[in-house]
Amino acid sequence: RQQRFEAEMLNKCLKSAFDGKLVYAAVPEELFEKYNFSMRDGESVIELLREISGVTVAALLYPMGKDVKISLRSKDKNYPVGPVARELGGGGHAMAAGITLKDVSLEAAGKILLEKIGNLLKNEISS
């Protein structure tokens, strides 16, 4: 069940931006229902995205009622996702963080993600 969910997610939901430095999947509720799959069953799903070659930041977006949960992972300490999450009311640490955006659509959450991660990738933080 999880493998079929992941295969369809990668095939139908995967997007990239910023020359492939950001890879993300906005997974609609219908896909979860089709495979009777819950993110409680597979937090490792974001690791699939993180492992894609050339990726600096990976993100997984999925609906939770009227809200959208965003899981973020960074592969480079110069691009920490923790501050991005905190700016949006979430939390976590430099390399792994999460956000719950209240009362937004998956599409709107994707636009917010693109803006914030675009700013992060343009403004490399010096160590």
Short mmCIF file of all heavy atoms in Angstrom, two decimals, residues 4 15 17 24 27 38 42 46 48 54 56 60 68-69 77 79-80 85 88 91-93 95 102 104 111 113 124-125:
data_model
loop_
_atom_site.label_atom_id
_atom_site.label_comp_id
_atom_site.label_asym_id
_atom_site.label_seq_id
_atom_site.Cartn_x
_atom_site.Cartn_y
_atom_site.Cartn_z
N ARG A 4 2.72 1.70 -3.38
CA ARG A 4 1.85 2.15 -4.47
C ARG A 4 1.51 3.63 -4.30
O ARG A 4 1.48 4.39 -5.27
CB ARG A 4 0.59 1.29 -4.53
CG ARG A 4 0.87 -0.12 -5.02
CD ARG A 4 -0.40 -0.90 -5.35
NE ARG A 4 -1.39 -0.90 -4.30
CZ ARG A 4 -1.48 -1.80 -3.31
NH1 ARG A 4 -0.59 -2.78 -3.24
NH2 ARG A 4 -2.43 -1.74 -2.41
N LYS A 15 6.96 18.06 -8.17
CA LYS A 15 7.29 19.29 -8.88
C LYS A 15 8.67 19.74 -8.43
O LYS A 15 9.12 19.41 -7.34
CB LYS A 15 6.27 20.39 -8.57
CG LYS A 15 4.87 20.04 -9.02
CD LYS A 15 3.90 21.12 -8.65
CE LYS A 15 2.50 20.70 -9.11
NZ LYS A 15 1.49 21.63 -8.69
N ALA A 17 11.47 23.31 -8.56
CA ALA A 17 11.62 24.75 -8.81
C ALA A 17 13.07 25.12 -8.51
O ALA A 17 13.81 24.35 -7.89
CB ALA A 17 10.66 25.54 -7.93
N TYR A 24 9.21 19.27 -4.48
CA TYR A 24 8.08 19.17 -3.55
C TYR A 24 6.94 18.39 -4.17
O TYR A 24 6.84 18.28 -5.39
CB TYR A 24 7.63 20.56 -3.10
CG TYR A 24 7.06 21.44 -4.19
CD1 TYR A 24 5.69 21.64 -4.30
CD2 TYR A 24 7.89 22.10 -5.09
CE1 TYR A 24 5.16 22.45 -5.29
CE2 TYR A 24 7.38 22.93 -6.07
CZ TYR A 24 6.01 23.09 -6.17
OH TYR A 24 5.48 23.91 -7.15
N VAL A 27 0.24 16.68 -2.21
CA VAL A 27 -0.52 15.44 -2.33
C VAL A 27 -1.99 15.68 -1.96
O VAL A 27 -2.29 16.04 -0.83
CB VAL A 27 0.08 14.36 -1.41
CG1 VAL A 27 -0.65 13.04 -1.61
CG2 VAL A 27 1.58 14.19 -1.67
N SER A 38 -2.27 7.05 5.40
CA SER A 38 -2.20 8.21 6.27
C SER A 38 -0.74 8.56 6.50
O SER A 38 0.12 7.67 6.56
CB SER A 38 -2.85 7.88 7.62
OG SER A 38 -2.51 8.86 8.58
N GLY A 42 3.52 6.87 7.36
CA GLY A 42 4.71 7.01 6.51
C GLY A 42 5.38 8.35 6.52
O GLY A 42 5.48 8.99 5.48
N ILE A 46 8.75 11.83 2.97
CA ILE A 46 9.54 13.01 2.58
C ILE A 46 10.98 12.65 2.29
O ILE A 46 11.65 13.30 1.48
CB ILE A 46 9.45 14.15 3.63
CG1 ILE A 46 10.13 15.40 3.07
CG2 ILE A 46 10.08 13.73 4.94
CD1 ILE A 46 9.63 16.68 3.54
N LEU A 48 12.00 10.24 0.56
CA LEU A 48 12.07 9.93 -0.87
C LEU A 48 12.42 11.17 -1.68
O LEU A 48 13.23 11.13 -2.60
CB LEU A 48 10.73 9.40 -1.38
CG LEU A 48 10.31 8.00 -1.03
CD1 LEU A 48 8.89 7.75 -1.52
CD2 LEU A 48 11.27 7.00 -1.62
N GLY A 54 20.53 16.38 -6.64
CA GLY A 54 20.51 17.80 -6.92
C GLY A 54 19.60 18.62 -6.03
O GLY A 54 19.61 19.84 -6.09
N THR A 56 18.27 20.51 -2.80
CA THR A 56 18.76 21.15 -1.59
C THR A 56 17.67 21.13 -0.52
O THR A 56 17.94 20.84 0.63
CB THR A 56 19.17 22.62 -1.89
OG1 THR A 56 20.18 22.61 -2.89
CG2 THR A 56 19.69 23.31 -0.65
N LEU A 60 6.98 18.33 1.48
CA LEU A 60 5.80 17.51 1.28
C LEU A 60 4.62 18.28 1.84
O LEU A 60 4.65 18.70 3.00
CB LEU A 60 5.96 16.17 1.99
CG LEU A 60 4.83 15.18 1.83
CD1 LEU A 60 4.69 14.74 0.38
CD2 LEU A 60 5.06 13.97 2.74
N VAL A 68 -3.27 22.80 5.81
CA VAL A 68 -2.27 22.10 5.02
C VAL A 68 -1.01 21.95 5.86
O VAL A 68 -0.50 22.92 6.41
CB VAL A 68 -1.94 22.83 3.70
CG1 VAL A 68 -0.77 22.17 2.97
CG2 VAL A 68 -3.17 22.87 2.80
N LYS A 69 -0.55 20.72 5.98
CA LYS A 69 0.68 20.42 6.68
C LYS A 69 1.82 20.43 5.67
O LYS A 69 1.68 19.91 4.56
CB LYS A 69 0.56 19.03 7.33
CG LYS A 69 1.82 18.50 7.92
CD LYS A 69 2.08 19.07 9.27
CE LYS A 69 3.29 18.34 9.88
NZ LYS A 69 4.12 19.19 10.66
N LYS A 77 23.32 22.73 5.30
CA LYS A 77 23.19 23.61 6.47
C LYS A 77 23.18 25.10 6.10
O LYS A 77 22.75 25.93 6.89
CB LYS A 77 24.29 23.32 7.49
CG LYS A 77 25.67 23.62 6.98
CD LYS A 77 26.73 23.32 8.01
CE LYS A 77 28.07 23.59 7.36
NZ LYS A 77 29.09 24.00 8.22
N TYR A 79 21.26 26.32 4.00
CA TYR A 79 19.87 26.60 3.66
C TYR A 79 18.95 25.97 4.71
O TYR A 79 18.28 24.98 4.43
CB TYR A 79 19.54 26.08 2.25
CG TYR A 79 20.43 26.67 1.18
CD1 TYR A 79 21.52 25.98 0.69
CD2 TYR A 79 20.18 27.95 0.69
CE1 TYR A 79 22.34 26.53 -0.28
CE2 TYR A 79 20.99 28.51 -0.27
CZ TYR A 79 22.07 27.79 -0.75
OH TYR A 79 22.89 28.35 -1.71
N PRO A 80 18.94 26.53 5.92
CA PRO A 80 18.15 25.92 7.00
C PRO A 80 16.65 26.16 6.83
O PRO A 80 16.22 27.27 6.55
CB PRO A 80 18.69 26.63 8.25
CG PRO A 80 19.13 27.97 7.75
CD PRO A 80 19.65 27.72 6.35
N ALA A 85 10.13 27.66 8.67
CA ALA A 85 8.97 27.10 9.37
C ALA A 85 8.52 28.03 10.50
O ALA A 85 7.33 28.29 10.65
CB ALA A 85 9.31 25.72 9.92
N LEU A 88 6.52 30.97 9.55
CA LEU A 88 5.14 30.65 9.17
C LEU A 88 4.35 30.02 10.33
O LEU A 88 3.28 29.46 10.12
CB LEU A 88 5.14 29.70 7.96
CG LEU A 88 5.66 30.32 6.67
CD1 LEU A 88 5.87 29.25 5.60
CD2 LEU A 88 4.72 31.40 6.16
N GLY A 91 7.69 24.94 13.39
CA GLY A 91 8.89 24.75 14.19
C GLY A 91 9.76 23.65 13.63
O GLY A 91 9.48 23.09 12.57
N GLY A 92 10.81 23.36 14.36
CA GLY A 92 11.74 22.33 13.95
C GLY A 92 13.16 22.85 14.05
O GLY A 92 13.42 23.87 14.68
N HIS A 93 14.07 22.11 13.44
CA HIS A 93 15.46 22.54 13.49
C HIS A 93 15.96 22.82 12.07
O HIS A 93 15.19 22.79 11.13
CB HIS A 93 16.33 21.54 14.25
CG HIS A 93 16.28 20.15 13.72
ND1 HIS A 93 17.04 19.71 12.68
CD2 HIS A 93 15.54 19.07 14.12
CE1 HIS A 93 16.80 18.44 12.44
NE2 HIS A 93 15.88 18.03 13.30
N MET A 95 17.65 21.35 9.75
CA MET A 95 17.59 20.39 8.65
C MET A 95 16.22 19.74 8.48
O MET A 95 15.96 19.11 7.46
CB MET A 95 18.65 19.30 8.84
CG MET A 95 20.06 19.87 8.99
SD MET A 95 20.58 20.97 7.66
CE MET A 95 21.11 19.77 6.46
N LYS A 102 -3.07 27.29 8.44
CA LYS A 102 -4.48 27.21 8.78
C LYS A 102 -5.38 27.72 7.66
O LYS A 102 -5.12 28.77 7.08
CB LYS A 102 -4.77 28.04 10.05
CG LYS A 102 -3.99 27.58 11.27
CD LYS A 102 -4.47 26.26 11.76
CE LYS A 102 -3.78 25.88 13.05
NZ LYS A 102 -4.04 24.49 13.41
N VAL A 104 -6.15 27.01 4.49
CA VAL A 104 -5.65 27.34 3.15
C VAL A 104 -5.84 26.14 2.24
O VAL A 104 -5.95 25.00 2.69
CB VAL A 104 -4.16 27.75 3.15
CG1 VAL A 104 -3.90 28.98 3.96
CG2 VAL A 104 -3.28 26.61 3.60
N LYS A 111 2.02 28.02 -3.19
CA LYS A 111 2.51 29.36 -3.56
C LYS A 111 3.32 29.97 -2.42
O LYS A 111 4.35 30.60 -2.65
CB LYS A 111 1.34 30.26 -3.94
CG LYS A 111 0.73 29.88 -5.28
CD LYS A 111 -0.45 30.76 -5.64
CE LYS A 111 -1.05 30.31 -6.96
NZ LYS A 111 -2.24 31.06 -7.32
N LEU A 113 4.92 28.29 -0.11
CA LEU A 113 6.15 27.52 -0.06
C LEU A 113 7.15 28.03 -1.10
O LEU A 113 8.31 28.26 -0.77
CB LEU A 113 5.85 26.04 -0.31
CG LEU A 113 7.09 25.15 -0.44
CD1 LEU A 113 7.71 24.91 0.93
CD2 LEU A 113 6.75 23.86 -1.13
N GLU A 124 21.67 32.82 0.66
CA GLU A 124 22.46 31.82 1.37
C GLU A 124 22.94 32.40 2.70
O GLU A 124 23.41 33.53 2.78
CB GLU A 124 23.68 31.40 0.54
CG GLU A 124 24.54 30.38 1.23
CD GLU A 124 25.64 29.85 0.34
OE1 GLU A 124 25.57 30.02 -0.88
OE2 GLU A 124 26.57 29.27 0.89
N ILE A 125 22.77 31.60 3.74
CA ILE A 125 23.17 32.02 5.08
C ILE A 125 24.61 31.58 5.31
O ILE A 125 24.94 30.41 5.15
CB ILE A 125 22.24 31.42 6.15
CG1 ILE A 125 20.83 31.97 5.93
CG2 ILE A 125 22.74 31.68 7.54
CD1 ILE A 125 19.78 31.33 6.78
#
